[in-house]
C-alpha cells in the first residue's frame, strides 16, 4: 500500500487529468516509443504553436481519468508508452500527431482518440488530420468570396477598354 503522501499526489494528478480531458474538445493517444530527444523537442514546439497540450502520461493514471470522464472505451489502448495530446480545437491534435506519425513512421504511432467526450476510430482521426488549419480554411473561404468580385472588375475593365476608354480613365477618381 503506497503511503498517504504518494497516494494524494497521484489523486491530484488524476483530478488534473480528468479536468483537462473534460475541458478538451478532442484528444489523441500516441505511442511514442523510440523517438529521439530532438524529435520530441520539435513535436512539443509544434504542439505549443498549435495550442495543443501534449504530455507523457502513466497508463494507470490515465485509465482512472478516462473512467472519471466516461471514456472507458479507450482503456484497451493504454499499454506500452503513452502520450496524450489535448486541445479545444477538434482538428489540431489529430493534424499535429498525424504529421509526426508520417515523419517518424516506426517510432511514433497514433493509438486512438476521442472527440466531444466519445471515443473515435482511426478513420475519424485520419479525416480530422486531413482538414487544413483554421487560417488556411479562412483564406480559402475569403478567396472564394472575392473571386466573383475580382472577375466582375476584370470584365468591367475589358468592356471599358473595348469602348475606347483608356484603363486609367475607365474609373474616374472622386475628388
Amino acid at each position: 500500500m503506497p503511503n498517504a503522501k504518494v497516494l494524494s499526489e497521484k489523486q491530484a494528478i488524476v483530478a488534473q487529468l480528468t479536468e483537462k480531458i473534460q475541458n478538451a474538445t478532442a484528444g489523441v493517444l500516441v505511442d511514442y516509443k523510440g523517438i529521439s530527444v530532438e524529435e520530441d523537442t520539435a513535436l512539443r514546439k509544434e504542439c505549443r504553436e498549435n495550442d495543443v497540450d501534449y504530455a507523457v502520461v502513466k497508463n494507470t493514471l490515465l485509465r482512472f481519468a478516462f473512467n472519471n470522464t466516461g471514456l472507458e472505451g479507450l482503456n484497451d489502448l493504454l499499454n506500452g508508452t503513452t502520450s496524450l495530446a489535448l486541445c479545444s480545437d477538434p482538428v489540431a491534435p489529430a493534424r499535429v500527431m498525424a504529421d509526426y506519425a508520417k515523419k517518424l513512421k516506426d517510432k511514433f504511432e497514433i493509438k486512438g482518440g476521442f472527440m466531444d467526450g466519445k471515443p473515435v476510430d482511426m478513420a475519424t482521426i485520419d479525416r480530422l488530420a486531413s482538414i487544413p488549419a483554421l487560417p488556411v480554411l479562412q483564406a480559402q473561404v475569403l478567396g472564394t468570396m472575392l473571386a466573383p468580385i475580382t472577375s466582375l472588375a476584370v470584365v468591367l475593365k475589358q468592356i471599358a477598354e473595348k469602348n475606347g476608354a483608356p484603363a486609367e480613365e475607365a474609373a474616374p477618381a472622386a475628388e
Side-chain angles (χ1 to χ4, degrees), residues 109-174:
E109 180 184 338
I110 296 176
K111 294 179 174 185
F114 66 91
M115 192 165 111
D116 294 327
K118 296 182 180 108
V120 294
D121 59 357
M122 286 302 296
T124 304
I125 293 172
D126 291 338
R127 284 194 305 270
L128 286 171
S130 67
I131 297 173
L134 185 60
V136 174
L137 286 174
Q138 290 170 334
Q140 289 174 345
V141 169
L142 186 60
T144 304
M145 290 171 48
L146 291 177
I149 297 169
T150 305
S151 299
L152 177 64
V154 169
V155 169
L156 291 176
K157 180 181 174 194
Q158 289 174 347
I159 292 172
E161 288 175 355
K162 180 180 175 188
N163 292 335
E168 293 84 33
E169 295 176 13

Side-chain angles (χ1 to χ4, degrees), residues 14-32:
V14 169
Q16 185 180 28
L17 269 173
T18 301
E19 183 180 346
K20 283 183 179 183
I21 292 169
Q22 287 173 337
N23 293 335
T25 303
V28 177
L29 292 167
V30 179
D31 183 351
Y32 63 92

Side-chain angles (χ1 to χ4, degrees), residues 5-149:
K5 181 180 177 186
V6 172
L7 187 60
S8 67
E9 288 173 358
K10 288 183 179 184
Q11 288 172 339
I13 293 170
V14 169
Q16 185 180 28
L17 269 173
T18 301
E19 183 180 346
K20 283 183 179 183
I21 292 169
Q22 287 173 337
N23 293 335
T25 303
V28 177
L29 292 167
V30 179
D31 183 351
Y32 63 92
K33 187 186 333 181
I35 66 172
S36 68
V37 172
E38 294 84 18
E39 293 164 341
D40 186 55
T41 302
L43 171 62
R44 288 175 186 273
K45 181 179 183 239
E46 181 87 16
C47 287
R48 278 191 302 274
E49 290 170 358
N50 288 286
D51 294 325
V52 175
D53 184 12
Y54 176 80
V56 173
V57 186
K58 288 190 171 203
N59 290 329
T60 53
L61 300 178
L62 194 52
R63 185 172 287 114
F64 283 119
F66 281 162
N67 291 339
N68 292 343
T69 57
L71 291 169
E72 295 90 1
L74 296 174
N75 286 344
D76 294 340
L77 304 175
L78 299 177
N79 49 34
T81 56
T82 303
S83 60
L84 178 65
L86 299 170
C87 191
S88 59
D89 177 2
V91 176
R95 188 178 60 251
V96 172
M97 296 301 125
D99 287 346
Y100 270 83
K102 288 177 189 170
K103 289 179 192 174
L104 310 171
K105 291 186 171 103
D106 294 329
K107 301 187 237 177
F108 195 82
E109 180 184 338
I110 296 176
K111 294 179 174 185
F114 66 91
M115 192 165 111
D116 294 327
K118 296 182 180 108
V120 294
D121 59 357
M122 286 302 296
T124 304
I125 293 172
D126 291 338
R127 284 194 305 270
L128 286 171
S130 67
I131 297 173
L134 185 60
V136 174
L137 286 174
Q138 290 170 334
Q140 289 174 345
V141 169
L142 186 60
T144 304
M145 290 171 48
L146 291 177
I149 297 169

